[in-house]
């Protein structure tokens, strides 16, 4: 259970099968690969014009069938399904017990943040998130501070899930992190782009529009552009829902 099958999606988030991507590298479950060469200098992201994320745009630009940010988006939309799966797996699989005890005994939010930084076992991510959310105001502040620094992919994904569940509109901070933070690898930016789609911020649509075209142009064989595309899609769906209510 700690290894991926040859035909499974590669854990590096490329969207390709494991056997055709990182099969010959050490990649363990719950510890995404780092791709230090996939840097996105934000100052180089061009102006791709007025955003027009209409039906024709989404019909022309598909989301990859398999990608890390697409799986994250599904979790953000359906956290209860992940909880049910986690409970079922725990009935037949025992692992990460020592780490789980550390989470239960942690007496302050800083200890929990440190556990987040250490690539926690997938089995323990739900209890970790739920304990952190017991002090959501402090957690949001600390996590946003940490996201300004270089972090591993697991930390960024967990941060997105916590920030989303907190219900706090931190879109201004996330935009600022993308623009001026030191975590400029493509995958973290893709993850934060997904999260931005859940907020109503007048600057979000333009940023996501430019990021999508930039990532698609400069990383054509990766799935990083899915983050901005999913963010734009989420914004469009919420706008449609509000229009129907009005």
């Amino acid at each position: 259970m700690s290894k991926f099958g040859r035909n499974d999606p590669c854990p590096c988030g490329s969207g390709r099968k494991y056997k055709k991507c990182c099969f010959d590298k050490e990649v363990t479950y719950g510890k995404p690969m780092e791709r230090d060469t996939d840097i996105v200098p934000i100052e180089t992201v061009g102006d791709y014009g007025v955003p027009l994320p209409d039906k024709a745009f989404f019909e022309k630009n598909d989301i990859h069938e398999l990608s890390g940010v697409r799986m994250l988006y599904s979790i953000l939309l359906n956290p209860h399904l992940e909880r049910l799966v986690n409970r079922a797996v725990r009935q037949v699989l025992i692992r990460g017990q020592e780490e789980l005890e550390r989470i239960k005994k942690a007496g302050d939010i800083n200890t929990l943040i440190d556990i987040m930084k250490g690539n926690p076992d997938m089995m323990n991510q739900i209890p970790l998130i739920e304990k952190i959310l017991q002090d959501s105001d402090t957690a949001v502040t600390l996590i946003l501070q940490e996201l300004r620094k270089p972090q591993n992919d697991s930390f960024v994904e967990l941060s997105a899930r916590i920030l989303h569940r907190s219900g706090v509109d931190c879109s201004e901070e996330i935009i600022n992190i993308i623009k001026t933070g030191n975590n400029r690898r493509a995958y973290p930016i893709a993850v934060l782009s997904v999260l931005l789609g859940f907020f109503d911020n007048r600057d979000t649509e333009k940023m996501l529009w430019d990021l999508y075209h930039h990532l698609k142009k400069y990383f054509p064989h990766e799935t990083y552009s899915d983050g901005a595309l999913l963010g734009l899609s989420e914004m469009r769906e919420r706008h449609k829902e509000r229009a129907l209510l009005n």
Side-chain angles (χ1 to χ4, degrees):
M1 293 297 291
S2 64
K3 300 291 182 182
F4 285 81
R6 287 170 55 84
N7 292 310
D8 290 342
C10 188
C12 73
S14 68
R16 289 170 285 181
K17 290 184 178 181
Y18 183 39
K19 66 182 179 182
K20 294 184 178 180
C21 191
C22 298
F23 180 72
D24 60 342
K25 302 175 183 178
E26 281 296 321
V27 183
T28 55
Y29 185 66
K31 296 186 178 181
M33 275 195 60
E34 305 286 331
R35 288 177 172 263
D36 294 332
T37 57
D38 291 353
I39 302 298
V40 181
I42 293 300
E43 60 273 12
T44 67
V45 176
D47 183 347
Y48 290 88
V50 177
L52 189 61
D54 56 10
K55 181 179 179 181
F57 169 76
F58 288 106
E59 287 178 347
K60 182 179 178 181
N61 299 280
D62 293 329
I63 297 166
H64 292 85
E65 184 178 352
L66 295 172
S67 71
V69 286
R70 182 168 185 168
M71 288 187 281
L72 173 67
Y73 180 63
S74 297
I75 290 173
L76 295 182
L77 290 178
N78 304 289
H80 60 287
L81 293 180
E82 185 189 26
R83 193 175 295 109
L84 290 173
V85 171
N86 185 269
R87 289 175 183 172
V89 173
R90 282 195 178 278
Q91 293 179 8
V92 297
L93 181 64
I94 299 175
R95 77 176 190 208
Q97 293 301 304
E98 182 178 345
E99 182 180 72
L100 181 59
E101 287 303 312
R102 286 180 59 210
I103 293 170
K104 291 178 179 179
K105 293 178 180 178
D108 61 90
I109 196 70
N110 287 299
T111 301
L112 294 168
I113 296 293
D114 285 341
I115 295 173
M116 277 181 65
K117 293 179 181 179
N119 285 313
D121 192 299
M122 292 286 287
M123 295 288 290
N124 295 328
Q125 290 186 3
I126 290 178
L128 176 60
I129 289 171
E130 291 178 346
K131 182 145 188 185
I132 288 174
L133 284 170
Q134 291 176 10
D135 189 3
S136 60
D137 290 341
T138 303
V140 168
T141 299
L142 292 177
I143 286 171
L144 289 171
Q145 290 175 1
E146 293 295 333
L147 284 173
R148 299 193 64 83
K149 311 170 189 175
Q151 302 289 352
N152 62 57
D153 294 350
S154 175
F155 181 89
V156 179
E157 290 174 345
L158 284 167
S159 296
R161 291 160 66 184
I162 292 168
L163 293 174
H164 179 258
R165 287 185 56 180
S166 74
V168 176
D169 185 345
C170 50
S171 54
E172 290 290 346
E173 292 88 343
I174 294 171
I175 290 172
N176 189 260
I177 287 168
I178 293 175
K179 286 183 175 180
T180 65
N182 293 319
N183 201 350
R184 296 194 171 192
R185 289 184 300 106
Y187 186 70
I189 288 175
V191 169
L192 295 178
S193 296
V194 174
L195 185 59
L196 274 178
F198 288 90
F199 300 113
D200 292 316
N201 187 303
R202 63 183 182 180
D203 298 323
T204 297
E205 187 176 64
K206 175 59 175 170
M207 170 174 271
L208 294 179
W209 180 261
D210 290 341
L211 278 173
Y212 170 70
H213 288 90
H214 180 86
L215 293 171
K216 186 176 181 180
K217 178 179 179 180
Y218 288 98
F219 300 99
H221 303 299
E222 304 294 347
T223 60
Y224 302 135
S225 60
D226 282 2
L229 190 60
L230 285 164
L232 288 168
S233 176
E234 175 61 25
M235 291 184 67
R236 180 171 182 264
E237 290 303 314
R238 289 189 297 104
H239 291 163
K240 287 167 58 178
E241 289 175 3
R242 282 198 293 270
L244 288 174
L245 291 174
N246 294 330

